Amino acid sequence: MTQFDSHLLIVDDDERIRGLLKKFLMRAGFLVTAARDAAHARRVLSGLDFDLIVLDVMMPGEDGISLTRSLRETIATPILLLTAKGETEDRIEGLEAGADDYLAKPFEPKELLLRINAILRRMPEPAASEAAPKVLHLGPIRYDIERGEMWQGEELIRLTGTENQLMKIFSACPGEPVSRTKLVEDLGRDRGQAQERAVDVQITRLRRKIEPNPKQPQYLQTVRGAGYMLAPD
């Protein structure tokens, strides 16, 4: 397994670090999803399978070691812990909780990349029948993130290029609101209110394809003051 077919989950409460790690690892060839805390990570993990989790230890609320210990009760996904604590006792505590590796802050991004690839090389290749598809479920509809295809049963739902771009943007951060401004930027459009209104139109069209009742959206929700959020099953 290499970075070119691996999906990572980054969990860090520091928005700046989270963003920098996501950009760096995406440039290295990974598919990356980010979560801002343990609760957000749990919601993301309930709908997606990952090849590796990069998890900050020092977070408000449930910390990374507690989350690691809890996740180990249900999943075997490799976990790499990041922490400002470098003492032996803390490293041992993380490993005893079930982490696969431990990297103390501050660290060089290249070292993080080397650690991630070393862990992935140790993982056995899943048999074809056991490989978990990277699919989001929206009621009877499923969206294949890697293929960029949406299906309802055996019927392919035709998406426009913009609709598919929107699904990829939302699929990278399920359960997390995305502002209209960011959607405009990620779609490669010029900024401005006109473009934000154009995004609203595209959202309306996309809802017609994925919602049982587009006027009362269940899966592509409006978050007041924050933007839009994809809420898969």
Side-chain angles (χ1 to χ4, degrees):
M1 181 180 294
T2 69
Q3 62 259 44
F4 299 106
D5 55 13
S6 299
H7 191 180
L8 308 184
L9 174 62
I10 306 295
V11 188
D12 198 306
D13 64 295
D14 188 313
E15 183 177 359
R16 185 184 67 86
I17 292 177
R18 194 168 65 240
L20 288 172
L21 287 179
K22 183 173 182 178
K23 287 181 180 179
F24 172 74
L25 292 170
M26 288 179 69
R27 286 199 299 268
F30 292 103
L31 176 64
V32 182
T33 296
R36 59 185 170 274
D37 54 28
H40 187 197
R42 289 182 185 278
R43 292 196 297 273
V44 172
L45 286 163
S46 70
L48 285 172
D49 293 300
F50 293 89
D51 298 297
L52 186 142
I53 302 170
V54 179
L55 175 58
D56 185 36
V57 170
M58 303 298 289
M59 295 188 294
E62 184 178 10
D63 65 31
I65 290 178
S66 175
L67 179 59
T68 297
R69 191 175 291 113
S70 175
L71 292 177
R72 278 293 169 256
E73 296 177 1
T74 56
I75 64 173
T77 306
I79 297 174
L80 171 61
L81 291 178
L82 303 178
T83 182
K85 294 182 177 181
E87 288 81 4
T88 302
E89 297 82 5
D90 299 305
R91 177 167 51 84
I92 291 174
E93 185 181 8
L95 296 174
E96 286 180 341
D100 294 81
D101 204 351
Y102 193 102
L103 185 57
K105 297 178 179 178
F107 55 83
E108 289 292 331
K110 186 175 181 181
E111 182 179 3
L112 174 64
L113 184 59
L114 291 171
R115 298 282 189 103
I116 289 172
N117 281 325
I119 294 172
L120 293 175
R121 282 196 300 269
R122 295 199 297 264
M123 297 302 295
E125 290 288 343
S129 61
E130 297 175 353
K134 295 178 175 62
V135 173
L136 287 178
H137 294 276
L138 311 167
I141 293 171
R142 65 187 188 278
Y143 179 70
D144 187 317
I145 298 173
E146 291 186 333
R147 293 178 178 271
E149 294 177 349
M150 184 175 286
W151 296 81
Q152 183 166 7
E154 299 300 315
E155 181 181 352
L156 179 66
I157 298 174
R158 302 290 180 184
L159 297 177
T160 65
T162 300
E163 288 167 350
N164 207 357
Q165 277 185 279
L166 285 170
M167 283 301 302
K168 286 184 177 295
I169 293 167
F170 287 122
S171 297
C173 53
E176 182 174 353
V178 182
S179 69
R180 292 195 299 168
T181 300
K182 188 171 191 315
L183 289 173
V184 169
E185 292 175 354
D186 288 352
L187 288 171
R189 309 291 174 80
D190 294 329
R191 296 185 182 184
Q193 290 186 347
Q195 289 296 345
E196 290 186 5
R197 288 195 293 271
V199 166
D200 294 337
V201 172
Q202 296 291 344
I203 293 290
T204 298
R205 292 176 177 172
L206 184 55
R207 280 173 171 164
R208 291 175 187 155
K209 297 183 178 182
I210 67 176
E211 298 285 357
N213 182 356
K215 293 183 178 179
Q216 295 182 328
Q218 177 181 351
Y219 301 111
L220 187 47
Q221 302 173 3
T222 299
V223 181
R224 188 180 298 273
Y228 296 104
M229 178 179 75
L230 190 67
D233 293 331

